[in-house]
Amino acid sequence: MSDVALSGALPGGASSPSSKPNLDHGSNLITTLIFLALLAGGLFFTAYSLYQDISAAGMPVTTWLPFLLLGVALLIALGFEFVNGFHDTANAVATVIYTHSMPANVAVLWSGFFNFLGVLLSTGAVAFGIISLLPVELILQVGSSAGFAMVFALLIAAIIWNLGTWWLGIPSSSSHTLIGSIIGVGVANSLMRGGNGTSGVDWGKAQEIGMSLLISPLVGFFFAAALLLILKFIIRNPALYKEPVGNQPPPWWIRGLLILTCTGVSFAHGSNDGQKGMGLIMLILIGTVPMAYALNRAPGPSHIAEFKMTAAAAAKVIDKQASGYNVLGDPRPAVESYISARTINEGTYPSLAALVRNISEQVDGYGSLDKVPAAAVSNVRNDMYLSSEALRLLLKDKANNLSSGEVTELKAFKGSLDGATRFIPLWVKVAVAIALGLGTMIGWKRIVVTVGEKIGKTHLTYAQGASAELVAMATIGAADAYGLPVSTTHVLSSGVAGTMAANGSGLQWATVRSLLLAWVLTLPVSILLAGGLYVLFAKIF
């Protein structure tokens, strides 16, 4: 995930002048013009795609205020991703630069391109995993003033903390920052609604994500250290474990490995980090232009037939658990209450069964998702979202009393629901990819110096760079596959630290203390900052 790195000079720089890479390539007019052209092109493409989607959906324009808020929210969300890339270039390129495998300017462009590709080819699992942390009542009312207050508060809080820590020279993870912002909004929303502050957050999901953020740096440290020791045992070439001589590149095979791992980390970072912005942008779009984005209108008749089949099977399973009880009136409050409280009671299964039947009848009545009228789109989408979240929690609940066959049928229906509501248009991916890719080309030098010079007391060796990058690539890739966010800087910097410890090179404890300080402060500060901003914006909007 995106992370801020040290900007101030720390004592005990590791590299000798002869082995330091050349980082002062500067910028020329052509580079600046290309950057501005890509930025302008990305903004134009985003605006044009948005206009096309709204026009195709036939959404009537009665007031320009929602579109003004939409534009501001999209700019802030893309700004968040730009800052994300702004901080993260060094996580992929520091090792190839300090081992002289690639020149600095080439490495930065290379990393930016593969960050771009990583975003485009991402699955969306991380995006919707992040959204699951948000209070369900705000997700259902994301187009309301409270919904806009939520989106603005968590994005602005994350940007303020990232830029603030970068300016002060304190390394921090924007993954931690965003999670803290979401928790802050959830707690503040719960308190404002008369709750005790704990009911506004999916603490189970928060714990799952928190554990991934906590464990991944430890994995980086110990696995990179172990890999270096294994390399020393297998490949007995002293040159691989010593400081590079001058600007001499490593042997061709280790150079190829370093470039490969740089590519993999860049791609995995784009795939993992880019999804945070995608999920938030989709929330913004669903709230302001639901006719175009609340439901996936792409699936054809075959998908609808499959949807009805899985809905019927799921309704049968849930009806069985309901033990013949029926619900009089609206089933939604009981389902929403279960999602918030996560406690099964006598009304959970009957209410969910009624909601599933309602969804099936609505989809069957309209014939396809693209025929759902504008007035009904938000309700259909909210019903699907509630059912999907309830099923997600039920399937994890040890008190669900479901057989393996019933679990399979409920998972199939949940997949159909997610296919109808959890989608990311191509233009959203392209916009985020451009923001993240361009962000990698700004402000990278200070971060590269931190990773390359200020973690260990000696210059980064070829083997250390390869070990740290390999472990970082594998860790981030695995987290992406399981839909979990991780901190790219923490994984890679801890990997570099692990190789320094294993090599007996020693660590610069000023940097280590800064990393630990960021770990301690980021969550509580971002919680307080986002919570305070949410209260402020809720009163303004």
Side-chain angles (χ1 to χ4, degrees):
M1 305 303 273
S2 166
D3 309 274
V4 183
L6 291 173
S7 63
L10 295 175
S15 301
S16 63
S18 60
S19 60
K20 279 189 177 182
N22 178 18
L23 304 180
D24 297 317
H25 291 280
S27 60
N28 54 49
L29 180 61
I30 295 177
T31 304
T32 303
L33 290 176
I34 291 174
F35 179 89
L36 292 175
L38 288 172
L39 181 62
L43 291 174
F44 174 79
F45 176 74
T46 299
Y48 178 75
S49 300
L50 189 60
Y51 171 77
Q52 288 286 93
D53 286 352
I54 293 172
S55 299
M59 182 176 175
V61 179
T62 57
T63 174
W64 287 103
L65 180 59
F67 296 97
L68 179 62
L69 289 173
L70 170 62
V72 173
L74 286 177
L75 284 175
I76 293 173
L78 291 174
F80 170 77
E81 284 300 337
F82 185 85
V83 172
N84 198 341
F86 175 85
H87 294 307
D88 268 29
T89 308
N91 302 313
V93 302
T95 54
V96 292
I97 291 174
Y98 271 82
T99 56
H100 307 295
S101 299
M102 295 178 82
N105 54 346
V106 175
V108 170
L109 290 173
W110 183 271
S111 176
F113 176 71
F114 282 97
N115 265 283
F116 179 89
L117 285 185
V119 176
L120 286 184
L121 300 177
S122 59
T123 63
V126 173
F128 295 110
I130 290 288
I131 290 175
S132 296
L133 280 173
L134 294 166
V136 64
E137 62 272 13
L138 291 183
I139 293 176
L140 297 179
Q141 303 171 26
V142 70
S144 66
S145 58
F148 272 109
M150 169 189 72
V151 172
F152 281 120
L154 64 91
L155 280 174
I156 292 174
I159 291 173
I160 289 173
W161 180 248
N162 278 347
L163 291 179
T165 51
W166 172 79
W167 183 260
L168 294 173
I170 303 173
S172 74
S173 162
S174 67
S175 300
H176 287 116
T177 305
L178 188 61
I179 301 304
S181 297
I182 290 172
I183 292 174
V185 168
V187 170
N189 178 67
S190 174
L191 292 172
M192 290 177 69
R193 291 164 62 93
N196 58 9
T198 61
S199 60
V201 179
D202 183 346
W203 293 106
K205 189 69 177 178
Q207 182 180 14
E208 178 185 334
I209 291 174
M211 287 301 294
S212 76
L213 290 168
L214 178 65
I215 292 173
S216 54
L218 300 177
V219 170
F221 184 93
F222 289 108
F223 276 63
L227 182 57
L228 179 67
L229 294 175
I230 292 170
L231 283 176
K232 279 189 167 185
F233 180 76
I234 297 175
I235 305 172
R236 300 179 183 273
N237 182 351
L240 297 180
Y241 313 104
K242 293 181 180 179
E243 178 179 332
V245 178
N247 292 323
Q248 181 180 343
W252 67 268
W253 64 272
I254 198 80
R255 187 179 192 179
L257 179 61
L258 282 161
I259 293 174
L260 176 65
T261 53
C262 166
T263 304
V265 171
S266 299
F267 183 89
H269 170 258
S271 179
N272 192 285
D273 272 40
Q275 294 189 55
K276 296 181 298 187
M278 287 183 208
L280 296 173
I281 286 174
M282 287 310 299
L283 268 184
I284 295 165
L285 293 172
I286 290 165
T288 51
V289 279
M291 187 68 185
Y293 299 106
L295 296 173
N296 186 1
R297 296 172 177 271
S302 61
H303 178 269
I304 299 302
E306 180 186 348
F307 185 94
K308 290 191 288 187
M309 182 178 68
T310 57
K316 186 177 179 181
V317 171
I318 299 169
D319 277 329
K320 178 183 174 183
Q321 295 294 326
S323 303
Y325 288 100
N326 291 315
V327 173
L328 299 176
D330 187 359
R332 296 173 186 84
V335 177
E336 187 176 337
S337 174
Y338 168 66
I339 295 171
S340 297
R342 295 168 189 82
T343 302
I344 297 175
N345 58 39
E346 64 278 0
T348 301
Y349 281 112
S351 299
L352 183 56
L355 192 58
V356 170
R357 283 194 296 270
N358 286 349
I359 294 169
S360 183
E361 289 168 3
Q362 289 180 87
V363 173
D364 190 36
Y366 296 127
S368 65
L369 295 180
D370 61 349
K371 293 180 181 177
V372 178
V377 164
S378 293
N379 284 338
V380 173
R381 195 255 174 198
N382 285 347
D383 287 351
M384 288 183 171
Y385 180 82
L386 277 175
S387 298
S388 176
E389 283 297 286
L391 289 174
R392 177 180 70 86
L393 295 171
L394 278 174
L395 290 170
K396 294 197 307 183
D397 198 321
K398 295 179 180 179
N400 60 29
N401 297 320
L402 298 170
S403 67
S404 59
E406 291 171 336
V407 167
T408 301
E409 290 177 334
L410 291 183
K411 282 184 176 179
F413 179 54
K414 185 182 184 307
S416 297
L417 291 170
D418 291 346
T421 58
R422 298 189 174 192
F423 68 102
I424 300 174
L426 178 61
W427 73 262
V428 173
K429 288 189 174 186
V430 171
V432 170
I434 291 173
L436 191 64
L438 291 179
T440 62
M441 301 174 192
I442 301 295
W444 54 270
K445 180 180 174 181
R446 66 179 67 197
I447 309 174
V448 165
V449 171
T450 296
V451 177
E453 298 182 28
K454 295 182 170 66
I455 292 178
K457 291 184 177 179
T458 62
H459 190 288
L460 196 68
T461 68
Y462 303 138
Q464 286 175 323
S467 299
E469 285 269 26
L470 272 172
V471 170
M473 181 178 70
T475 304
I476 299 166
D480 185 39
Y482 285 98
L484 296 171
V486 292
S487 166
T488 305
T489 285
H490 284 171
V491 173
L492 189 72
S493 59
S494 63
V496 171
T499 62
M500 290 291 175
N503 204 43
S505 305
L507 296 171
Q508 295 194 47
W509 288 105
T511 306
V512 174
R513 282 194 297 271
S514 295
L515 286 167
L516 292 174
L517 182 65
W519 254 9
V520 172
L521 291 179
T522 296
L523 274 176
V525 171
S526 56
I527 287 171
L528 292 173
L529 186 59
L533 285 173
Y534 175 73
V535 173
L536 175 64
F537 291 150
K539 294 182 182 298
I540 293 174
F541 291 141

